[in-house]
Amino acid sequence: MGLREVLLAVFAFGALAFALAVVSTRNTVYAALEFVAHLLCLAALYCLLDAPLLGVLQVMVYAGAIMVLFLFAVMMLDIQETGRESAFQGPGQVAGALLLAALLFALLVFGADRFPAAALAPAAAPGAPGVGADNVVRVARALFERGALVFEAVGVLLLTAVVAVMVMAKRRLEN
Amino acid sequence: MNLALPLPEYGVLGLALVVLLYDLVVPERVSRRALGWVCALGFAGVLALLLRSDAPQVAPVPTAFGGMYVADGLALAFKTLIVAAAMLASLASLDYLEARGVRWQGEYYLLLTLVTFALMCLVSAGDLLTLYVALELNSIGFYALVAVLKGRSLTSSEAGLKYLILGALSSALLLYGISLLYGLSGTVSLAGLAAWAAGAARSPALVVALALVAAGLAFKMSLVPFHMWAPDVYQAAPTPVTAFLSVAGKTAALALLVRVLDAALGGFIGVWDKLLMVLMAATFVWANLGALKQRDAKRLMAYSSVAQAGYLAIGVAAGSALGLQAALFYALVYVFTNVAAFQVLQLVAESGGPELSGLRGLGRRSPGLALILAAAVLSLAGIPPFGGFFGKFYLFAAGVREGIVAGRSWLLALVGLAVVMSIVSLFYYLILVKQMYIEPADPEAPGTGGPVAVPLGARLVLGVCAAMILWTGLYPSPILAWIRQALF
C-alpha cells in the first residue's frame, strides 16, 4: 500500500466524517464550515485520482463561491441554532438511516460485480493526452484561445446582470 | 488569430466604461443628461468606423477566436444598423429620462451600451456558443431597460417581469434545440453545422431540434405565436427603449435567422421552411387584424412591429441571395421609419397622452411632426415615395421569384397573403393619419392647445430619420449598392 492509497483512505474517511458532522451539528454556521471541509476532502480525492482540474474547480466553485453564498444566507437570516434537539430523533430514524446505508452498500457490492467492465473506457495511462495536468492545459487553451471572446462576454453579462439587479431591486432613496 | 477584428465591439465596450466611470466620478446632484450626448457621440464614432470599413469580398471571410467570431459583410451591415439605432435611441432618451426624473440614468445608458455590444456580438456569432451568450446578455439588459420606469409606472415593472419570464422560456427552448443539434452533429460551430447539414439524414430528432431553434429565434423576432410579450412590453417600456428594442432587437434576430437557418442549416430548408411559413402566415393575420382595434398609439405600433417582423422573415424563407438583400434593405428602412414613428408618438404623448385621440389636431398644431409621422406610417404601409415601398417591393419580388424558380408554391401563397395583409395594414396606419389631419381637436382636452415642444435630441433623431425615409424611397440605388457589396 503506497502513499497514494493511504491518502485516498484518509480523505475518503475525512469526507465521510465531515458529512456526518454536517447533518449532526446544531449550529448552522459550524455545519456550513464542516460542509466546506467535506468538499475540500472531495477535491483532494479528485486530485489523487488524476483529475486535478476537477479538484481545483471543486474548490473554486463549491467550496468557494457556493459556500460563501450559503454562509451569507445563514448569517443574513441570523439562524443560530436549529432547536435544542439532535439531528436524529428517536431510534426509528437512526434505524432507517442505517438500513438505507446498508442497502446502498449492498447495491454497490453486488452491482459492481455485475457491471460489464467493457462498458467503461479503459483507464488512460498517466501522461496520455487529456489526463492529469495535460487536462488543465487543454481546458486553459480552449478557454483563452477559442473561448476568449465568449469568456469576456460572460464577464460583460455578469456586469450587466449586476447593474440590472441593482436597478430593479434597490428602493428609491428618500432625500 | 486577428484580435483587431472586433474593433467596433471594443469601441462600444470602451464607451460602456466611459459611461460607468462618468456615473461614478460625477457627483450625484449633477444631472446625467450629458451621458446621452456622450453615448450618442460614442455610437456615432463607432458608426463612422463601421461605415468606413469594407466588407470582405473574397471567399474565406475573416474570423477570430477560432471561428467563434465572424467578421463578414452580413455582420458588418447589421452592426451598422444596430449602432445607428443605438445612437438614435440615446438621442431620444436625453429629454425623456430627464422629464420623468428617472433616477437610474447612469445605469440606463450603461445598459444601453452593453445591450448594443451584445447585439453586435450576436450578429457576428460564428458559433452557437457565442450566439447563446450574446443572446442572454442582450436579453438581461433589455429586461432591466424595459422596467427602468419602475416606481413611476406599474405597467413598466409588469412588462419587465413578463418579458423576463417569457424570455427565459424562449432561451430554454433555444438551448434545448442547440443541445439536440449538438447531439446530432457533434459540433456547435455554424460552419461545422453547414458542412454536416449538407450530408446528414433527416430524422425525427432533427425536426424537433429545428422546431425548438426556430421557436427560440421566433420569440426574439416576435413572430406569432411567440409574440405574446410584444404588445405589453412595447406599450409599457420607456418609448426610446421600445423603439430600440423593436428595431435593433428585431434586426439582430433577423441576422440570427439568416445565419442559423439559411447559412448553417440551409441543407434542411425543406424541413424548416414549412415551420417558418406557418409562423409567418399566423403573424400576418394576427398582427394586422389585431392592430385594427387598438386605441393606444404605442400599442398599435407594437402590433405593427409584429407584422413587420413577418415581412422581414420573407427574405429568410426565400433563402436566396436576393431575399437576403431585400430583407436587409427592408430592415434598414424599418429602423429609421419605426424610430421616427415612436419619436413623434413619444413627443405627442408628453402633452396629449398615449391614446390615439391625443394625436387629434396635430396637423394644425405641429405640422412638421404630423408630416413626419404620416411619412413614417405610410412608409410602413408600403406607399411610394417612401422607403417602405421599395422595401416591400423587393421582399415580395424576391419571394415570388424564389417561388417560381424553385417551384415552391407555398412561398407564392405566403407572399400573396402578405400582400393582402399589407393592404389591411394600410387601414390602421391611415387611422393615425386621420387622427392627425381630419379629426377636430378637442378644445377641452389637456395639452392639445399649442404646438408640441421638440427638444434638440428629438430634432436630430427626426431629422436623420426623415432624411433616410425619403432617401431610401427616392434614390435607393447607393444603399442597394452598399448592401450588395456587403452581401457579395
Side-chain angles (χ1 to χ4, degrees):
Chain A
M1 208 163 78
L3 179 63
R4 189 187 171 94
E5 280 75 11
V6 174
L7 283 176
L8 268 176
V10 167
F11 283 115
F13 278 108
L16 274 180
F18 281 118
L20 266 178
V22 172
V23 289
S24 54
T25 312
R26 283 189 222 148
N27 189 317
T28 38
V29 177
Y30 287 169
L33 292 176
E34 281 152 6
F35 194 49
V36 172
H38 167 71
L39 292 170
L40 288 177
C41 285
L42 287 188
L45 285 182
Y46 291 145
C47 290
L48 286 169
L49 293 172
D50 254 347
L53 182 69
L54 204 59
V56 171
L57 287 181
Q58 169 89 4
V59 173
M60 268 162 54
V61 178
Y62 284 93
I66 291 182
M67 282 319 295
V68 168
L69 206 67
F70 262 121
L71 279 175
F72 262 108
V74 167
M75 286 171 182
M76 277 169 105
L77 294 175
D78 202 21
I79 314 165
Q80 283 304 317
E81 289 190 15
T82 52
R84 293 278 99 195
E85 67 278 358
S86 146
F88 292 107
Q89 293 167 4
Q93 278 195 355
V94 176
L98 283 178
L99 191 68
L100 263 179
L103 265 178
L104 203 63
F105 191 68
L107 201 68
L108 268 177
V109 169
F110 292 107
D113 223 25
R114 279 165 183 70
F115 196 80
L120 288 172
V131 172
D134 185 46
N135 209 351
V136 184
V137 174
R138 284 171 167 236
V139 171
R141 288 211 99 94
L143 205 59
F144 290 105
E145 283 178 8
R146 282 198 80 224
L149 179 73
V150 177
F151 193 71
E152 295 302 318
V154 170
V156 179
L157 193 149
L158 288 177
L159 173 68
T160 312
V162 166
V163 173
V165 163
M166 207 187 63
V167 170
M168 290 297 96
K170 199 168 172 188
R171 295 216 181 89
R172 193 150 177 258
L173 298 176
E174 302 300 331
N175 297 330
Chain B
M1 183 158 71
N2 189 352
L3 281 178
L5 267 188
L7 197 59
E9 278 86 349
Y10 298 156
V12 172
L13 267 191
L15 180 63
L17 284 183
V18 170
V19 172
L20 200 61
L21 288 177
Y22 182 99
D23 201 35
L24 182 73
V25 172
V26 174
E28 198 154 347
R29 58 187 193 298
V30 179
S31 157
R32 294 292 186 267
R33 195 169 173 278
L35 268 181
W37 290 110
V38 171
C39 278
L41 281 179
F43 285 130
V46 178
L47 188 63
L49 178 71
L50 284 167
L51 284 173
R52 276 188 41 160
S53 43
D54 294 316
Q57 299 293 317
V58 281
V61 289
T63 59
F65 304 105
M68 294 189 85
Y69 176 96
V70 183
D72 57 359
L74 181 81
L76 184 69
F78 274 102
K79 268 181 219 170
T80 312
L81 293 190
I82 288 164
V83 174
M87 184 185 77
L88 295 174
S90 354
L91 284 175
S93 306
L94 287 169
D95 297 282
Y96 184 89
L97 297 179
E98 200 66 14
R100 275 159 189 72
V102 172
R103 226 187 88 82
W104 304 105
Q105 292 196 26
E107 286 79 4
Y108 174 93
Y109 289 113
L110 179 65
L111 288 172
L112 191 69
T113 41
L114 291 176
V115 163
T116 310
F117 167 76
L119 291 171
M120 291 166 79
C121 288
L122 198 56
V123 299
S124 260
D127 190 292
L128 291 175
L129 203 57
T130 319
L131 185 153
Y132 184 73
V133 169
L135 202 61
E136 277 303 283
L137 175 51
N138 109 76
S139 301
I140 289 175
F142 267 129
Y143 301 148
L145 280 176
V146 164
V148 84
L149 291 182
K150 62 148 199 157
R152 265 164 212 79
S153 136
L154 265 182
T155 49
S156 177
S157 322
E158 187 195 328
L161 189 63
K162 272 183 191 163
Y163 192 28
L164 170 71
I165 292 172
L166 290 173
L169 183 71
S170 84
S171 287
L173 288 182
L174 183 67
L175 208 53
Y176 270 122
I178 289 177
S179 58
L180 274 177
L181 273 182
Y182 177 62
L184 288 168
S185 69
T187 176
V188 282
S189 124
L190 291 179
L193 277 176
W196 165 76
R202 291 175 193 181
S203 63
L206 175 73
V207 177
V208 176
L210 287 178
L212 287 172
V213 169
L217 296 179
F219 178 91
K220 301 292 171 201
M221 186 108 178
S222 74
L223 292 175
V224 177
F226 305 102
H227 64 284
M228 296 84 76
W229 57 277
D232 286 352
V233 169
Y234 284 14
Q235 183 184 4
T239 314
V241 173
T242 307
F244 188 55
L245 176 62
S246 74
V247 299
K250 211 157 281 183
T251 42
L254 175 72
L256 278 194
L257 278 182
V258 172
R259 265 207 202 291
V260 176
L261 293 184
D262 270 343
L265 301 172
F268 299 124
I269 188 165
V271 182
W272 58 254
D273 75 333
K274 309 271 186 319
L275 291 170
L276 190 62
M277 278 193 228
V278 170
L279 297 183
M280 284 158 64
T283 305
F284 292 142
V285 173
W286 182 88
N288 282 314
L289 296 184
L292 291 176
K293 57 177 202 271
Q294 298 308 321
R295 309 193 59 84
D296 181 294
K298 250 169 103 183
R299 202 170 171 86
L300 189 149
M301 286 307 292
Y303 277 74
S304 140
S305 300
V306 175
Q308 303 292 333
Y311 298 127
L312 283 171
I314 291 180
V316 183
S320 59
L322 199 63
L324 184 51
Q325 289 172 11
L328 183 51
F329 182 77
Y330 197 77
L332 188 146
V333 175
Y334 172 75
V335 165
F336 294 102
T337 319
N338 233 29
V339 168
F342 275 117
Q343 177 68 70
V344 174
L345 292 179
Q346 171 193 328
L347 292 171
V348 173
E350 301 281 344
S351 56
E355 298 279 303
L356 274 176
S357 55
L359 288 169
R360 282 184 186 170
L362 191 69
R364 202 158 301 123
R365 279 190 288 146
S366 305
L369 282 185
L371 205 60
I372 291 176
L373 183 57
V377 294
L378 290 177
S379 173
L380 285 174
I383 304 287
F386 306 113
F389 167 72
F390 281 115
K392 276 194 180 158
F393 180 77
Y394 291 139
L395 268 179
F396 294 164
V400 168
R401 192 184 146 86
E402 180 66 15
I404 291 171
V405 170
R408 289 164 62 194
S409 47
W410 282 95
L411 192 60
L412 285 178
L414 189 76
V415 174
L417 181 67
V419 173
V420 171
M421 281 304 158
S422 176
I423 296 166
V424 172
S425 75
L426 187 58
F427 181 78
Y428 59 80
Y429 288 130
L430 284 179
I431 291 180
L432 287 171
V433 178
K434 174 176 154 235
Q435 291 284 348
M436 290 189 294
Y437 286 104
I438 298 174
E439 294 279 336
D442 182 3
E444 304 294 307
T448 49
V452 175
V454 187
L456 180 60
R459 260 173 221 273
L460 285 171
V461 173
L462 289 174
V464 170
C465 291
M468 288 303 289
I469 293 173
L470 277 179
W471 185 21
T472 48
L474 294 175
Y475 186 48
S477 45
I479 295 170
L480 283 172
W482 176 73
I483 286 173
R484 258 187 232 114
Q485 194 228 1
L487 307 172
F488 71 100

